[in-house]
Amino acid sequence: MKEEISKVLETAKNEIEKASSVHELQQLKSRYIGKKSVLNSFMQKISTIPKEERPTFGNILNETKNQISELLLNKEQRIKELEYETTLKTESLDLTMPGRKREKGSLHPITKVWWEIEDIFISMGFEVAEGPDIEDEFHNFDALNTPPDHPARDLSDTFYIDNDVLLRTQTSTVQVRVMQKHKPPIKIISPGSCYRNEHDASHSPMFHQVEALVVDEGVTFTDLRDVLNIFIKKMFGEKIESRFRPHFFPFTEPSAEIDIICVKCYGKGCNLCKGSGWLEMGGAGMVDPNVFDILGIDSKKYTGYAFGLGIDRIAMLKYKIPDMRMLFENDIRFLKQF
Amino acid sequence: MNVSYKWLKKYVDFDLSPEELQVKITFAGIEVEAIEKLGEELNQVKVAKIIDKKKHPGSDHLSICHVDDGDVVKQVICGAPNCAVGQKIAFTPVGSRLGEFKIKKVKLRGEESYGMICSEKELGISDKHEGIMVLPDDAPIGQNLGSYLNLDDTSFELEITPNRPDLLGVYGVARDISAILNLPLKTPEVIIKECDEKIENNLILQNDAPDLCPRYTARMIKGITIKESPAWLKQCLISIGLRPINNVVDITNFVMMEFGHPLHAFDYNKIDGKKIIVRRAEKDEKFPALDEETYQLNENDLVIADAEKPIALAGIIGGENSHITEETSDIVIEAANFLYSSIRKTAGKLKITTDSSYRFERNIADETADLVSRRACQLILELAGGTLLKGKLDSYPNPTGKRLVSLRPSRVKSLLTINISNEKIKEYLKLLGLSFKGEEKDNLTFEMPSFRKDLEREIDLIEEIMRLHGYNNVKTFLKPQNIMDKKIFSAHRMVKNILVSYGFSEVINWNFGDPADLDKFEISEDDERRNNARLKNPLGTSFSIMRSMLIPDLFKNTLFNINHGQKNIKIFEQAKVYTRKNEKLATEKLHLSALMTGFLNPVYWGDNQRQINFFDLKGVVEEILDNLGLKNYDFKKSGEPFYQPGLATDVIYKKQIVGSLGKVDPKVTIKYDLEQPIFVIDIKLDDIFHLHKMETPVFKVIPKFPFILRDLSFIISKQHNYDDIISTIKGVNPGNIKKVVLFDEFTDKNIKKEFRSLTFSLVFSSDTKTLTDDYINNILQNVIKKLDSKYSIEMR
Ligand SMILES: [Zn+2]
């Protein structure tokens, strides 16, 4: 019987050595040391040998079992190491091939600038207000100190829907609505679409504007200059200075036009600034007390300032877009650049 | 640190309930972490009288007593040798709870006991455990013990910030309370009587480490008697969580807790060489401490030593070799100050925290040392007798000078926007112990008290003024304008960003529209989109209305781009549409429209390109609605005239159509010279924001029990749609079927016409337990039964 056992060990050794996969080893394991294995069948024969030999026999059987299981374990480890080596050798890639990307979408450059403007002003404590595009004459003209016979009404070619109903020519209409509804302090910007009946290389019949209004006790011209200065520097860079030039707007007094140093030549003079070194950015001024009176705000107690800037123009300057028409052509090759 | 209501009241005569006092302390800038009612436990215990006592027949040391608590007479078994008939004792009846210990009716060797006669230790009053607590004869029977012993009190656990070591004593806290209540602070009167014998003849002080010990004082008292402390002293200590030990130890603890400056008492007769040496420890020097541990020290540690050995670890813990015992008669009172960083290092290294080290680590003042020394002597002479030797030993090489700080009243007013007079400023600061030194134009000068090392600059004084004035008494002016709706504002941006992340490019078209587009899109005459706002002076007929749809412009943009060589196009526009009928102005509503055509994905070597289909479109819509937080939206066949029949749905939310999506009818696209399939989305954003309140997500508990997945595959008639099937499956056990995901759909020649194969993945879980296989199999069988009875499915 001992010989038979050592013979089993011998064949097991050989077969384990020959095995080439973990799966094979599992089969060998159940064949040699599992419940229905050869060695177990010897165990059942233990009753056939003399009592005094039984312990020795048991020992031999156990030892053989241990030896086989150790052989199996060693072999399994060697196979796994080999598999690992193979993995390293076979799994190679051309790492220079392109990665899987999502297709890139894009925000319109006007939106990008629009959001940036909102964020800068929100960071300075402004809120964003909205109003209708289709307006009445009161909000677009009368409330802004431009009575019917006022020459300022000729300044803009207005689209009309009805006798009294029009497409707003500026977003100051929103300021009027806010002043009608809210008590000071007011600190808002109102970005939005505006319309004027003119269409050429530098004018679009629909364009985008942002207007600001601040009304409180003790609001000064300095506040106006400070806010605009900070805005312009945040938008165009530290180097860009601004200046105020006296001008006329019906709803502000004093009124000014805002110029900034040319973003292309930094003041030296170029084709963008037509040699002047300055670019016109928009209008500003202190709210005319008449406007407060029309809207029932105590003009003795409160002061305020307002200004308006062209969003499309800022986008064109910022992204160096040469032609306004490109903004509304919606060529994907254009849109994906931003 | 703990302070108690009654102890505080010794110094400030406030008329506040403990709860009101808590509010005042909090707004003085001292955070109250916890508040505890004291004596409640002891109020279960009654003053009672032993009316008879006999020996327990079954025991040598037990006796059977009867006690009268004024209400009833109870039998109690007592083991204490000192119990005697006629005594007033503390009786704890059955049902009371002392700490963790519940008093129950028990049988002791065959005799029943209905309660317990307690020792002081059992009552948590002191460490005395030999024998029961015997009360004075005049103690009224039946009174609650807590009230009788005057232990009814409220304790406040305070969090003292590191800049305010002066608050580490009850008196310091009282000072701030007096300041905030503007009530006088009653300082204990300290008068000591010395005898003629000089301390110098009995003890020598040698300070070898003035860098680590800026001040050391010692006083000596001879002939004291160590005994139990009087009730008032014990009450104070108990009220802040300290256990009374004996009169001298109790006094040093009391004075430390009163003024926040620790002291230590040595047994004079154990000081070798009658010499106190303040010195650095030697390398590896051993020190046996009071806590029965022996610490190994080095040159960085400071010790108080006598001629032979260390007798205290400076500022941290006393020595086992020199402490006060019952036999002590002559004592040395140490009151000193030590370098806070050195104390912190040593205490940290040796892992010892004591009430003393806690205070010294916080950089207390040198000056208070003499005060606490005299206060302790006063109380010892009063409560332990003896005679105080003349004078004191005092090593104080570098006394702290006067510290002056100036303050500009104008600065106070402008910084705090309060109107406050110079007189009021002086009053506030005086209450905190600062003394006014002089006034020039807009400049007040004060001398800082020694205990407020934190006050160094003008701004420190301004903070104190503000604290007493009350932070919440400063007016505020600004209010939010509430003009913009921040949630909607962000939602507009989010929607655009989602589309960009799906590869869409944003377009912006003029808001003018062409009425002919409405015809091309087969919009019926009675559709509201035909109620146009018409311009009286348009640029031309193709710009003669304000547009009521965005999609026609997207078509024109698509054609433009196809003509410029693009085939795969994804664009969107978010803009207002306008209608006008009877309204004075117009109705303006924000819409989102998007268009996709061509291949879904760009050319990529690892993937095949795939034509866009309806589900690509639907996924985008679902993504947007999910991100807006909409729940329970639905897709129903669309009635829009411009979609290919059967390939478009409306989006339904709260029974309203809030959008549509689908493949545009080729009949319509061809009118725009578009030959490839076009898919569009139109979402009425304003309508959604009108119906849907955007809510902030609220955390939900993450499920504790595991999820288990099972797949279900069957063949089913095409007349049943997914929506129906999935709600049937979920309906079988909505509690345990957490999720049902469509895994696969297919048809092939082995499946009957008009039938399809669907595979669902079911996620099972329970909120209360781990589901067993049997349990899940059972649910799965029910699902199959239900599907079969409803749809006659064939399992695969
Ligand atoms: Zn220039």
Side-chain angles (χ1 to χ4, degrees), chain A residues 262-279:
Chain A
C262 177
V263 296
K264 193 172 170 192
C265 66
Y266 295 109
K268 289 189 196 79
C270 68
N271 58 345
L272 180 62
C273 58
K274 298 184 186 95
S276 72
W278 292 91
L279 297 169

Side-chain angles (χ1 to χ4, degrees), chain A residues 97-100 102-108 110-111 115 118-119 122 125 127-129 131-136 158-165 167 177-178 182 185-188 193 195 197 199 204-206 208 327-333 335-336, chain B residues 478 480-484 486 489 492-494 496-497 499-512 533-539 546 557 560-561 564 566 568-572 576 578 580 584-586 588 599-602 604-607:
Chain A
M97 281 155 82
R100 179 182 275 110
R102 289 230 232 169
E103 192 184 359
K104 178 180 171 286
S106 57
L107 287 172
H108 197 284
I110 290 177
T111 299
W115 289 6
E118 284 175 341
D119 290 342
I122 286 171
E127 294 201 10
V128 178
D133 294 23
I134 298 177
E135 263 294 4
D136 54 23
T158 310
F159 285 113
Y160 275 89
I161 301 266
D162 233 329
N163 288 336
D164 179 33
V165 180
L167 299 186
R177 288 182 177 274
V178 169
H182 297 268
I186 291 169
K187 196 170 184 186
I188 54 152
S193 308
Y195 309 83
N197 198 342
H199 188 203
S204 167
M206 183 185 97
H208 300 96
L327 291 177
F328 303 105
E329 225 167 41
N330 298 313
D331 187 328
I332 289 177
R333 295 165 300 174
L335 296 173
K336 289 213 170 179
Chain B
L478 291 182
Q481 302 184 72
N482 292 327
I483 289 172
M484 74 191 281
K486 286 238 174 69
F489 178 84
H492 286 165
R493 290 188 175 191
M494 182 185 74
K496 286 191 180 184
N497 283 329
L499 284 157
V500 169
S501 78
Y502 270 87
F504 287 80
S505 289
E506 187 190 13
V507 300
I508 295 181
N509 290 291
W510 290 347
N511 291 330
F512 308 116
R534 283 170 206 286
L535 302 184
K536 293 176 88 174
N537 51 339
L539 289 170
M546 293 302 281
N557 299 147
F560 176 93
N561 281 294
H564 286 83
Q566 308 283 321
N568 308 316
I569 292 165
K570 290 182 198 150
I571 51 175
F572 77 96
K576 289 198 257 192
Y578 308 81
R580 186 167 189 264
K584 174 163 191 272
L585 298 177
E588 305 184 2
F599 286 114
L600 177 70
N601 41 345
Y604 183 66
W605 61 269
D607 294 332

